[in-house]
């Protein structure tokens, strides 16, 4: 409150001394540049950002993951089919070092089961991917970057509905609509449903051959991997009123039912264990320009989420890939006690942001975010399990100063962040694994970070930008407290710290109907207490641990070509070198993994795609687009390079996949149909932890847009 009072006093004094009236704006980034879309403006800002226009591709895509996976410096590795866990890396930083948002609010406020893969596509306008340096207005402790999903904010009535079906008994349905009454009251309902049996063929899994009397590779279909996701949301509010630019209250419900086919390793086959999650959420948000003072803009939001997950693992069975089983006295997931584990994680999220424009060239921003997560857990079956109620709370305060000089050719941002982390722990079970007895009770930690970003346009086709941030990432609840199924808790985890540096150049060349955009970036990441998942292959379980020091360096480049809005070609390549820099262990002995690449991380990959559109082909205002894409990922080791013989070490093989899509729309885009084929030539591919991905996948989609 003191900081807020001081800011209001300062801007009030500055306001009295101003000579010229100033235009209202939320941030300097929103200054309109003629001929450039919002996504292009973001790419050309001071920070390193991938901006993806989703709205123009809604008819042809089925989920965000496939779209994001084709952008420079970003790689998504999924552990199976629809609904499987996935790992997204940005410039070599992955997992929970990357934070996810929807309209600037943490995505998990919708429920722990809501991910990029099951968000309704029709509700999305664009996706912003921040690399290494994250703006203060996101109010996050992201270390490696952030993904912000920006939803549709049309000012007209519309109905956008779609239904699709595809391989492996997959079905997807989305609905997004808006109705504005005469008094300005606006209602926005959203619905998304995803279902799949995920019964794709697993190639070359080891099974006992009675004739040969040994294990031999064979092909078998997955048999216990069905997934159902349901997300419903309604927003009610007003826009463009004297008392608010935008005020909405919202309520949402999300449910997932997920059968578990494997643990964290493919050799452990699960035939009956499953997990259900239900989440209710309520929230409100308020935005106003000229809030109390001319030039002072406000953005407030609040939400509370009731999240309840149940993991059931009570089968007295041990399965193989035939679907056969033997009677067992232990559970399927980790060979321990049978369980029906309940975890309630209520989450409260509050956010406040104030922006003040001293002039068109100078702006001050102050932000505050609270995120409080509970961890109330108990078990209906495991009598040895000790119930507990833990609490993890984070306070993040940010202050930024932005300036635009030389008529917008030179833009700078300076910022500081304060991270406050509170942890209260009750659980003490499996203390030899979770270190819970070492931290039982409550403690508070405080960390300071900050950075700078700058962009300068030398000439119109050439500009340079650089950014730096000393960032701190506080461990997430699932890292500290586990997830009750496949992840053990680790109470001794320390916050990650990193010095992130980006340097890039970019430009746009235009000649007639030909437009060529290029961008190249180099980056350095110096990470202390790097949080990384470790896999226990015997149990198929995972636990997060700290690596004392990891250094990451890399380069990436992307080119885009557009001709007459008919032909678009995009290509990118990324090289990311992440290495362990701890030379000696705590006991003084040399570290065997010193200077090894961090395992289970792609380090060299590329993609390209091409789209060609035909207009007025069969009738007036129709549109046919034919697309193809190619992805390549160099092989990488599953575990540390120094352990074992290189010739026999497990490695994730090189990935080569080709995809194709055809989309036809007519009646001014009112109707559209698309057919998409992923992995056209049915290549055997692996991703996270050498878990096999689906083969050739077909998906057909119909979309209706009324507006």
């Amino acid at each position: 409150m003191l900081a807020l009072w001081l800011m209001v006093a300062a801007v009030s004094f500055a306001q009295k001394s101003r000579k010229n009236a100033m235009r209202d704006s939320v941030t300097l980034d929103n200054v309109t540049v003629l001929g450039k879309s919002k996504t292009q403006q973001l790419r050309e800002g001071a920070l390193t950002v991938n901006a993806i226009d989703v709205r123009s591709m809604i008819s042809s895509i089925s989920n965000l993951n496939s779209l994001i996976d084709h952008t420079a410096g970003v790689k998504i590795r999924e552990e199976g089919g629809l609904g499987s866990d996935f790992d997204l890396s940005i410039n070599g930083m992955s997992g929970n070092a990357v934070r996810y948002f929807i309209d600037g609010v943490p995505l998990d406020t919708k429920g722990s089961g809501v991910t990029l893969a099951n968000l309704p596509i029709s509700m999305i306008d664009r996706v912003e991917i921040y690399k290494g340096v994250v703006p203060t207005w996101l109010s996050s402790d992201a270390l490696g970057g952030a993904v912000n999903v920006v939803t549709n904010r049309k000012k007209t009535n519309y109905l956008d509905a779609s239904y699709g079906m595809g391989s492996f008994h997959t079905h997807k349905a989305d609905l997004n609509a808006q109705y504005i009454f005469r008094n300005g009251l606006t209602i926005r309902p959203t619905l998304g449903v995803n279902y799949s049996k995920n019964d794709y063929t697993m190639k070359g899994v080891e099974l006992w051959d009675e004739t040969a009397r040994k294990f031999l590779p064979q092909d078998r279909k997955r048999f216990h991997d069905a997934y159902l996701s349901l997300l419903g949301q309604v927003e009610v509010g007003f826009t463009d009123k004297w008392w608010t630019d935008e005020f909405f209250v919202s309520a949402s419900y999300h449910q997932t039912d997920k059968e578990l086919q494997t643990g964290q390793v493919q050799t452990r086959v699960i035939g009956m264990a499953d997990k259900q999650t239900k989440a209710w959420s309520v929230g409100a948000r308020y935005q106003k320009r000229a809030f109390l003072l001319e030039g002072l803009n406000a953005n407030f939001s609040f939400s509370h989420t009731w999240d309840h997950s149940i993991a059931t693992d009570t089968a007295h069975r041990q399965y193989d890939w035939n679907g056969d089983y033997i009677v067992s006295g232990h559970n399927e997931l980790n060979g321990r006690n049978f369980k029906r584990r309940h975890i309630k994680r209520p989450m409260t999220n509050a956010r406040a942001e104030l922006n003040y424009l001293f002039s068109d060239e100078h702006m001050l921003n102050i932000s505050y975010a609270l995120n409080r997560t509970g961890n109330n857990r108990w078990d209906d079956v495991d009598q040895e399990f000790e119930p507990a109620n833990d609490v993890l709370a984070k306070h993040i305060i940010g202050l930024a100063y932005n300036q635009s000089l030389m008529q917008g050719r030179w833009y700078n941002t300076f910022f500081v962040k304060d991270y406050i982390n509170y942890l209260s722990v009750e659980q003490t079970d499996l203390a030899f694994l979770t270190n819970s007895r070492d931290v039982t009770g409550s403690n508070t930690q405080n960390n300071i970070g900050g950075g700078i970003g700058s962009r300068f346009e030398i000439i119109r086709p050439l500009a340079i930008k650089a950014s730096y941030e000393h960032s701190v990432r506080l461990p997430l609840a699932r890292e500290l407290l586990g997830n009750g199924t496949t992840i053990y808790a680790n109470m001794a985890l320390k916050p990650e710290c990193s010095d992130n540096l980006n340097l890039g150049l970019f430009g746009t060349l235009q000649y007639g109907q030909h437009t060529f955009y290029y961008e190249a970036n180099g980056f350095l990441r110096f990470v202390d207490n790097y949080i990384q998942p470790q896999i226990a292959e015997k149990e198929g379980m995972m636990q997060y641990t700290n690596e004392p020091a990891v250094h990451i360096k890399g380069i990436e480049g992307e080119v885009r070509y557009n001709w007459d809005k008919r032909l678009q070609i995009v290509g990118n390549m990324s090289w990311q070198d992440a290495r362990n820099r701890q030379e000696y262990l705590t006991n003084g002995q040399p570290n065997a993994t010193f200077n090894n690449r961090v395992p289970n991380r792609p380090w060299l990959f590329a993609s390209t795609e091409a789209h060609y559109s035909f207009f007025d082909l069969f009738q007036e205002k129709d549109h046919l687009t034919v697309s193809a894409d190619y992805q390549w990922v160099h092989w990488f080791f599953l575990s540390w390079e120094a352990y074992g013989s290189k010739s026999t070490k497990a490695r994730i093989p090189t990935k080569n996949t080709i995809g194709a899509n055809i989309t036809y729309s007519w009646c001014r885009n009112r109707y559209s149909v698309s057919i998409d084929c992923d992995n056209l030539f049915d290549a055997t591919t692996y991703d996270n932890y050498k878990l096999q991905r689906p083969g050739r996948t077909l998906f057909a989609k119909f979309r209706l847009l009324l507006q």
Side-chain angles (χ1 to χ4, degrees):
M1 293 301 296
L2 178 60
L4 175 61
W5 183 87
L6 289 173
M7 179 181 177
V8 173
V11 299
S12 178
F13 174 80
Q15 183 187 38
K16 293 179 181 179
S17 63
R18 289 187 301 172
K19 296 180 180 180
N20 301 317
M22 295 168 289
R23 294 176 298 180
D24 289 335
S25 176
V26 177
T27 65
L28 287 178
D29 287 337
N30 289 340
V31 176
T32 301
V33 180
L34 184 62
K36 293 184 179 180
S37 65
K38 180 61 178 179
T39 55
Q40 187 65 19
Q41 293 177 51
L42 285 166
R43 293 190 193 108
E44 297 182 3
L47 306 183
T48 304
V49 185
N50 283 358
I52 307 170
D53 180 13
V54 178
R55 181 174 49 187
S56 62
M57 295 179 283
I58 288 176
S59 297
S60 60
I61 59 176
S62 58
N63 68 70
L64 276 183
N65 278 4
S66 60
L67 185 62
I68 293 174
D69 195 36
H70 285 76
T71 60
V74 179
K75 184 52 55 185
I76 290 181
R77 294 171 297 136
E78 297 179 309
E79 297 181 11
L82 181 68
S84 64
D85 292 337
F86 65 88
D87 180 88
L88 184 149
S89 66
I90 300 177
N91 289 163
M93 299 291 289
S94 63
N96 299 317
V98 179
R99 294 287 196 258
Y100 302 93
F101 300 85
I102 181 166
D103 292 326
V105 177
L107 182 60
D108 51 8
T109 58
K110 303 296 181 185
S112 59
V114 178
T115 69
L116 299 178
N118 57 29
L119 276 176
I121 293 294
S122 58
M123 71 183 295
I124 302 171
D125 181 78
R126 67 178 183 274
V127 177
E128 303 165 354
I129 305 174
Y130 295 89
K131 302 178 179 180
V133 180
V134 178
T136 56
W137 61 266
L138 279 178
S139 301
S140 170
D141 58 339
L143 191 77
V147 178
N148 183 40
V149 177
V150 181
T151 59
N152 191 347
R153 287 293 179 261
K154 292 180 180 179
K155 300 294 186 179
T156 59
N157 296 335
Y158 65 88
L159 170 67
D160 194 342
S162 66
Y163 170 74
M165 59 186 301
S167 303
F168 321 122
H169 300 88
T170 300
H171 300 266
K172 286 173 168 282
D174 290 351
L175 183 145
N176 186 43
Q178 177 173 273
Y179 187 81
I180 305 174
F181 293 88
R182 288 186 177 182
N183 63 357
L185 179 67
T186 302
I187 299 178
R188 295 174 182 159
T190 300
L191 179 67
V193 181
N194 299 269
Y195 172 79
S196 181
K197 288 185 69 174
N198 288 315
D199 53 348
Y200 58 91
T201 299
M202 299 289 291
K203 302 174 183 177
V205 294
E206 290 193 349
L207 283 167
W208 180 258
D209 187 288
E210 194 64 35
T211 303
R213 303 296 298 171
K214 62 179 180 180
F215 286 95
L216 294 176
Q218 301 179 46
D219 296 347
R220 290 292 186 273
K221 279 194 173 185
R222 296 175 79 97
F223 58 89
H224 183 73
D225 199 19
Y227 170 79
L228 172 66
S229 169
L230 170 66
L231 174 63
Q233 175 180 283
V234 61
E235 294 182 293
V236 180
F238 293 89
T239 59
D240 300 326
K241 297 293 183 179
W242 67 266
W243 52 275
T244 184
D245 294 328
E246 190 170 287
F247 171 72
F248 279 89
V249 294
S250 63
S252 68
Y253 172 75
H254 180 260
Q255 176 177 335
T256 56
D257 296 316
K258 183 177 181 180
E259 296 178 345
L260 305 178
Q261 173 73 93
T262 65
Q264 298 295 338
V265 291
Q266 191 168 292
T267 53
R268 179 174 288 275
V269 185
I270 299 169
M272 293 191 72
D274 58 34
K275 183 176 182 179
Q276 295 87 36
T277 301
K278 295 181 180 180
W280 290 92
S281 176
V282 295
R285 53 188 173 86
Y286 173 85
Q287 295 180 5
K288 183 69 173 70
R289 289 170 294 183
F291 177 72
L292 301 180
L293 299 171
E294 185 71 22
L296 179 64
N297 308 311
N299 186 359
F300 305 112
S301 66
F302 173 84
S303 68
H304 185 78
T305 307
W306 295 267
D307 190 284
H308 184 191
S309 64
I310 304 174
T312 304
D313 187 7
T314 57
H316 294 68
R317 300 178 178 183
Q318 182 178 338
Y319 281 84
D320 63 20
W321 279 111
N322 274 325
D324 301 327
Y325 65 88
I326 60 174
V327 177
S328 172
H330 303 282
N331 69 23
E332 293 188 272
L333 289 174
N334 58 10
R336 296 185 183 275
N337 294 341
F338 302 114
K339 64 183 179 182
R340 191 171 187 268
R341 188 71 44 83
H342 295 256
I343 297 183
K344 284 189 175 181
R345 283 189 173 157
M347 175 186 294
T348 301
N349 186 277
R351 177 173 173 261
E353 178 190 6
L354 293 173
N355 301 283
Y356 184 74
L357 273 76
F358 293 93
S359 69
D360 287 342
E361 292 79 27
H362 303 277
M363 188 196 75
L364 185 67
N365 170 282
I366 185 169
S367 61
Y368 166 77
L370 162 69
N371 190 301
R372 182 190 186 278
T373 304
N375 188 61
N376 184 13
R377 46 177 226 152
W378 72 93
D379 200 292
D380 295 334
V381 177
D382 186 357
Q383 299 300 316
E384 297 181 5
F385 184 77
E386 300 178 7
N389 193 0
D390 312 310
V391 175
L392 175 63
K394 301 177 183 180
H395 304 265
I396 301 174
I397 304 170
L399 180 65
Y401 165 64
N402 302 329
Q403 61 178 197
S404 179
L405 307 174
M406 300 175 63
Q407 296 181 333
R409 291 180 58 194
W410 188 13
Y411 177 81
N412 298 306
T413 179
F414 311 88
F415 58 91
V416 293
K417 300 177 183 179
D418 187 14
Y419 309 90
I420 303 170
N421 188 41
Y422 170 82
L423 177 65
S424 176
V425 177
E426 290 185 1
Q427 58 176 287
T428 58
D429 58 305
L430 299 178
F432 65 96
L433 277 174
T434 66
N435 303 297
S436 55
R437 289 198 176 95
D438 298 335
V439 295
T440 301
S442 60
N443 64 83
T444 302
Q445 298 180 358
N446 187 74
N447 297 274
I448 300 293
I452 181 175
S454 183
R455 182 262 295 157
F456 182 73
E457 182 183 289
I458 301 173
I459 55 176
R460 187 173 295 274
L462 176 62
I464 59 174
K465 59 182 173 181
S467 56
Y468 164 80
E469 180 177 8
H470 175 72
S471 181
V472 178
R473 183 176 83 82
L474 312 175
L476 292 178
R478 73 192 303 261
E479 295 173 321
L480 280 169
L481 309 174
N483 70 349
T485 53
T486 57
I487 303 175
Y488 285 131
N490 184 359
M491 305 298 179
L493 275 181
K494 302 175 183 176
E496 291 178 298
C497 297
S498 181
D499 292 298
N500 300 333
L501 178 65
N502 300 312
L503 179 63
L505 57 90
F506 62 91
T508 301
L509 303 171
Q510 191 161 5
Y511 179 75
Q513 296 178 332
H514 303 272
T515 303
F516 179 81
Y517 173 80
Y518 68 92
E519 182 173 0
N521 295 293
F523 56 88
L524 296 171
R525 309 282 187 264
F526 302 99
V527 191
D528 293 327
N529 295 320
Y530 182 75
I531 297 177
Q532 172 171 293
Q534 299 286 346
I535 303 298
E537 294 195 20
K538 182 178 180 182
E539 295 184 345
M541 294 288 287
M542 183 171 73
Q543 185 181 45
Y544 290 92
T545 60
N546 287 113
E547 292 290 341
V550 171
H551 292 179
I552 305 171
K553 59 185 176 182
I555 55 175
E556 64 185 33
E558 180 172 277
V559 294
R560 295 174 173 267
Y561 170 75
N562 184 295
W563 171 69
D564 192 29
K565 297 183 180 180
R566 292 180 179 269
L567 175 65
Q568 295 89 35
I569 301 175
V570 181
N572 60 71
M573 177 171 282
S574 305
W575 171 72
Q576 305 170 355
D577 192 44
R579 295 184 181 270
N580 181 5
R581 298 301 298 170
Q582 184 190 17
E583 190 170 359
Y584 296 98
L585 301 175
T586 54
N587 60 8
Q589 296 296 316
N591 185 6
T593 63
F594 172 68
N595 213 35
N596 280 191
R597 275 200 180 96
V598 174
N600 196 38
R601 293 284 186 274
W603 57 274
L604 182 62
F605 50 91
S607 72
T608 184
E609 57 186 280
H611 312 267
Y612 190 86
S613 299
F614 301 88
F615 298 97
D616 301 330
L617 188 62
F618 303 111
Q619 57 180 286
E620 187 179 1
K621 301 300 181 182
D622 71 352
H623 183 195
L624 176 68
T625 300
V626 180
S627 308
D629 65 84
Y630 168 72
Q631 278 195 312
W632 172 80
V633 181
H634 193 283
W635 67 266
F636 50 96
F637 286 120
L638 179 63
S639 57
W640 288 106
E641 186 177 348
Y643 295 159
S645 172
K646 287 187 178 181
S647 60
T648 59
K649 281 184 62 63
R651 62 178 67 184
I652 286 81
T654 297
K655 178 180 179 180
N656 288 280
T657 58
I658 295 175
N661 177 277
I662 183 169
T663 302
Y664 177 66
S665 62
W666 66 100
C667 292
R668 301 178 183 269
N669 291 322
R670 172 173 288 189
Y671 311 103
S672 63
V673 293
S674 68
I675 299 176
D676 185 81
C677 182
D678 188 33
N679 195 357
L680 183 63
F681 296 104
D682 199 27
T684 303
T685 59
Y686 299 85
D687 258 351
N688 221 10
Y689 311 115
K690 204 177 180 181
L691 294 172
Q692 196 173 134
R693 295 293 316 285
R696 182 188 299 112
T697 305
L698 292 171
F699 190 83
K701 177 180 177 181
F702 171 77
R703 180 189 181 206
L704 170 66
L705 176 61
L706 302 176
Q707 57 184 352

